[in-house]
Amino acid sequence: RDRTNDGNSQEFHGLVSVGMLSDRVHLEGPIVKDKTSFSVSGRVLHSFLFTPILQAFKVPANYWFGDVNGKISHKFNNGDRLIASVYHGRDRFLVNYNNSYTIDGYDVAENSAEAVHKEKTNVNLDWGNTVGALRWNHAFGSKLFANTTLAYNHYEMDVNMKYTNTYTQKGSEGLEKTTVTYDSGINDIDFKVDF
């Protein structure tokens, strides 16, 4: 099974990577040499910096994400270790759509001028996880060990939509606004022992 890095218990190491679309950082090292170590890493996709370019090419959507992962590992003896870990990640998807249209002869009976509509739609979709875990690793001997884990997971999704319609008819202006918000979440607590 894949596990995150426990961290170097002997010496400090760090890595930073900067790119046009994404950055990442990783730090690890001892808190108490040969006993307690840490490991922390994070990354971000910063495509929102390119929003003006996307708008110039009439791309109405954009996306970005970021997350951080941390871990502390403590060795009591050769047979017992305690590991605390946390993860937080967030994704965001944005849509901004503008539309204009004209209706000729909107009110034929009154011979009114054409009606001009300008619509604007903004959709913001957010989702992400926050996870925390505490794990005790105990070796009974050379052939048997146990992992006892207490974990908490919080998942959240938010949807926000705003619609605006500005219209002009007979020289007067009207405004129509609609806002929709939807929130959803799951909380999960897990306790298990693996031998």
Side-chain angles (χ1 to χ4, degrees):
R1 186 187 327 184
D2 291 336
R3 296 195 184 276
T4 56
N5 184 11
D6 285 339
N8 193 311
S9 62
Q10 299 295 317
E11 55 187 16
F12 179 82
H13 291 282
L15 173 67
V16 177
S17 173
V18 178
M20 287 190 63
L21 279 176
S22 65
D23 303 328
R24 58 179 66 216
V25 61
H26 175 73
L27 304 172
E28 63 175 327
I31 298 174
V32 178
K33 198 169 183 178
D34 294 325
K35 285 282 187 181
T36 309
S37 61
F38 78 93
S39 174
V40 62
S41 59
R43 58 184 180 162
V44 62
L45 173 72
H46 43 66
S47 58
F48 59 87
L49 296 176
F50 293 88
T51 297
I53 297 172
L54 295 173
Q55 290 175 344
F57 285 95
K58 301 189 182 301
V59 178
N62 203 348
Y63 167 81
W64 67 269
F65 77 86
D67 62 16
V68 62
N69 203 340
K71 190 174 187 179
I72 294 177
S73 178
H74 179 75
K75 182 179 178 182
F76 291 98
N77 50 53
N78 289 332
D80 292 283
R81 285 195 315 145
L82 188 65
I83 299 103
S85 59
V86 65
Y87 168 84
H88 177 73
R90 199 75 181 173
D91 293 68
R92 175 171 287 182
F93 181 66
L94 304 171
V95 177
N96 296 306
Y97 180 73
N98 297 313
N99 184 34
S100 297
Y101 62 92
T102 302
I103 301 177
D104 294 321
Y106 186 77
D107 191 343
V108 179
E110 297 183 14
N111 194 24
S112 65
E114 60 186 17
V116 178
H117 289 253
K118 293 183 179 179
E119 295 179 325
K120 186 175 183 180
T121 304
N122 302 102
V123 179
N124 185 351
L125 174 61
D126 275 294
W127 69 95
N129 272 76
T130 300
V131 181
L134 190 63
R135 179 167 55 93
W136 172 38
N137 178 266
H138 175 71
F140 294 97
S142 60
K143 294 185 178 181
L144 180 65
F145 70 93
N147 279 317
T148 303
T149 305
L150 177 64
Y152 170 74
N153 179 22
H154 173 70
Y155 171 79
E156 184 178 17
M157 183 185 71
D158 303 320
V159 180
N160 295 293
M161 186 187 79
K162 292 181 181 179
Y163 169 79
T164 304
N165 179 16
T166 305
Y167 55 91
T168 305
Q169 182 187 5
K170 293 184 179 180
S172 62
E173 289 190 353
L175 181 64
E176 175 189 1
K177 284 186 175 182
T178 303
T179 302
V180 177
T181 302
Y182 173 79
D183 299 318
S184 177
I186 299 172
N187 292 304
D188 182 65
I189 297 175
D190 185 32
F191 177 77
K192 63 181 180 178
V193 181
D194 296 323
F195 292 93

